Amino acid sequence: MKKDEKKHRNISELGEFGLIDHITKNVKINHKNTIKGIGDDAAVIDYGNVCSVVTTDLLVEGIHFNLIYTPLKHLGYKSVVVNLSDIYAMNATPKQITVSIAISAKFTVEHIEQIYEGINLACQHYNVDLVGGDTSSSLTGLSISITAIGESKKEDIVYRNTAKKNDILCVTGNLGAAYMGLQLLEREKEIFKANPGTQPSLEGYDYILQRQLKPEAREDIISLFDEIGIKPTSMIDISDGLSSEIMHICKKSDVGCKIFQDKIPIDLNTEKMGKEFNIEPLIAALNGGEDYELLFTIDINDLEKIKDYKMIHPIGHIADKEHGAVMITNSGQSIELQAQGWNQLKDEE
Ligand code: ADP
Ligand code: MG
């Protein structure tokens, strides 16, 4: 591609979110039944008695995964899970997926079989059907693009833009472990590069490794909402770190929020790894990413209904927009949340 210096800007000037906004700003919706287009975890199509919910994710070798330490079966499993997570984030049930892969010459039939073992296992586990896809060769390694289709009743669907003042912000599970898992794998990779004979020392780190290599999507939480009769007022899945996802909810809902540092759930394994690596676990929780937990808001009157469920953690509340999105630290300081996320397309600041 020839670059005309005058007219062309570097993509890094916009970053990932800026680029998406830019290329989609003139997109028009022409069908009445497209009730949500770009801008949420999934698009929503209304078929009368039921809605279809559609999302897609692309995983690229060297960007989203490194095959030096990612088992292919795990990669297949994870590439399904990250899509299902976006379906659950709409309070919908995934039903079908399509899988498209581009493969370079270094891969054998057996390699692709391993990826599909993982894909099939995830399909079984989450009860979704693999209904199609596409296969191509590639000059630059492996890419996997998965589209997931889910369904839900129209009135059950939960969006990002409907949080309201005084709602309680909640997160599921714990945060930051997947990031610590990635740091561990990166460390072992560097050690291996320096001394190719060495075996990686990964023993005792099962939890953070599993969170990075074989995450699960929170189907259980969606079932629980149904069981206890809760409809969150807004929801998003946590793929880019808590900070970034909170900012999405606040921006789309035109509100601010206040969260409390001591309420952010961090697993003991994450704390332990943080000490070893000299990484603040809080930073991993706020900016790490790939947790695939759910962040949602509930009406304050529903707080009673969730209080006995240990996997749900109220971390703060929604406030007026003018207050901004802030975190109160353990020492009582109020700091502005920043959306960092995995903004690989943006220049490092
Ligand atoms: P998520 O992190 O939940 O997967 P993204 O941040 O990737 O969501 O995307 C935000 C929104 O922008 C989604 O609605 C997504 O479908 C849309 N989107 C992302 N990339 C493109 C693109 N190249 N063209 C059109 N829409 C896009
Ligand atoms: Mg999402």
Side-chain angles (χ1 to χ4, degrees):
M1 259 184 314
K2 200 155 170 275
K3 198 162 146 184
D4 170 351
E5 290 299 332
K6 265 200 185 132
K7 284 196 202 122
H8 290 257
R9 282 173 291 160
N10 282 324
I11 286 173
S12 58
E13 287 173 29
L14 297 179
E16 178 189 343
F17 298 136
L19 181 68
I20 295 174
D21 285 347
H22 184 68
I23 57 180
T24 59
K25 66 173 185 270
N26 295 324
V27 169
K28 292 208 169 45
I29 299 294
N30 291 314
H31 296 286
K32 260 213 329 252
N33 72 342
T34 309
I35 57 176
K36 175 60 85 175
I38 292 158
D40 214 302
D41 291 291
V44 181
I45 302 151
D46 184 3
Y47 291 109
N49 47 356
V50 75
C51 285
S52 248
V53 171
V54 184
T55 181
T56 197
D57 254 305
L58 172 64
L59 301 184
V60 177
E61 183 179 350
I63 304 288
H64 301 98
F65 57 88
N66 190 325
L67 289 176
I68 291 180
Y69 51 68
T70 310
L72 290 169
K73 187 173 170 182
H74 287 51
L75 177 63
Y77 193 90
K78 181 172 175 176
S79 53
V80 177
V81 164
V82 302
N83 277 278
L84 303 188
S85 180
D86 278 321
I87 299 283
Y88 293 126
M90 305 300 291
N91 202 28
T93 307
K95 300 279 176 171
Q96 290 89 12
I97 58 164
T98 62
V99 177
S100 299
I101 48 171
I103 318 157
S104 64
K106 70 181 174 189
F107 293 93
T108 65
V109 174
E110 286 67 26
H111 288 139
I112 308 305
E113 276 176 2
Q114 287 166 31
I115 296 173
Y116 270 75
E117 261 180 56
I119 290 176
N120 290 330
L121 191 65
C123 284
Q124 245 173 29
H125 184 84
Y126 291 94
N127 193 23
V128 299
D129 296 335
L130 170 53
V131 295
D134 199 13
T135 305
S136 164
S137 54
S138 149
L139 298 177
T140 53
L142 175 68
S143 294
I144 306 178
S145 171
I146 295 191
T147 296
I149 303 164
E151 74 182 43
S152 178
K153 282 191 269 175
K154 189 173 176 177
E155 62 271 23
D156 290 343
I157 295 178
V158 177
Y159 298 95
R160 295 177 179 181
N161 62 356
T162 39
K164 53 184 182 20
K165 189 179 168 184
N166 297 332
D167 285 350
I168 305 297
L169 257 171
C170 302
V171 295
T172 62
N174 65 78
L175 302 175
Y179 180 77
M180 291 297 183
L182 182 63
Q183 299 313 304
L184 174 65
L185 290 164
E186 285 287 330
R187 178 181 75 179
E188 293 308 313
K189 183 188 83 185
E190 292 307 318
I191 294 173
F192 184 78
K193 275 206 307 213
N195 309 286
T198 55
Q199 283 293 314
S201 56
L202 299 174
E203 234 166 83
Y205 296 107
D206 304 24
Y207 183 68
I208 57 170
L209 289 173
Q210 180 249 317
R211 293 285 283 174
Q212 169 58 223
L213 295 172
K214 189 173 175 284
E216 301 290 353
R218 295 310 307 240
E219 185 276 329
D220 57 332
I221 302 292
I222 302 311
S223 303
L224 181 71
F225 289 151
D226 192 38
E227 202 183 300
I228 62 178
I230 279 202
K231 184 186 174 194
T233 53
S234 71
M235 185 152 59
I236 188 168
D237 73 325
I238 306 181
S239 50
D240 292 341
L242 179 64
S243 254
S244 179
E245 313 301 357
I246 286 181
M247 306 285 286
H248 282 311
I249 285 193
C250 286
K251 198 172 157 207
K252 296 263 174 192
S253 302
D254 212 25
V255 293
C257 75
K258 188 187 268 188
I259 66 165
F260 298 88
Q261 179 185 352
D262 63 338
K263 304 279 187 232
I264 297 174
I266 293 174
D267 190 81
L268 281 178
N269 289 287
T270 307
E271 305 263 6
K272 193 178 119 205
M273 200 66 223
K275 284 209 180 80
E276 200 178 318
F277 270 124
N278 212 6
I279 299 173
E280 194 52 61
L282 177 68
I283 302 298
L286 290 174
N287 299 326
E290 297 200 283
D291 295 306
Y292 301 106
E293 296 291 346
L294 293 171
L295 169 71
F296 57 91
T297 53
I298 54 170
D299 190 282
I300 193 160
N301 294 316
D302 281 337
L303 193 54
E304 190 66 16
K305 291 189 194 161
I306 57 142
K307 75 174 193 334
D308 293 332
Y309 296 96
K310 289 200 167 55
M311 70 284 212
I312 298 180
H313 310 272
I315 57 165
H317 59 265
I318 298 293
D320 279 327
K321 190 184 179 183
E322 297 68 53
H323 295 291
V326 298
M327 180 177 72
I328 307 299
T329 65
N330 292 346
S331 58
Q333 252 187 315
S334 173
I335 60 168
E336 195 88 29
L337 291 173
Q338 309 232 324
Q340 291 196 329
W342 292 126
N343 216 347
Q344 291 121 345
L345 296 179
K346 191 149 184 151
D347 283 336
E348 291 286 328
E349 277 157 1

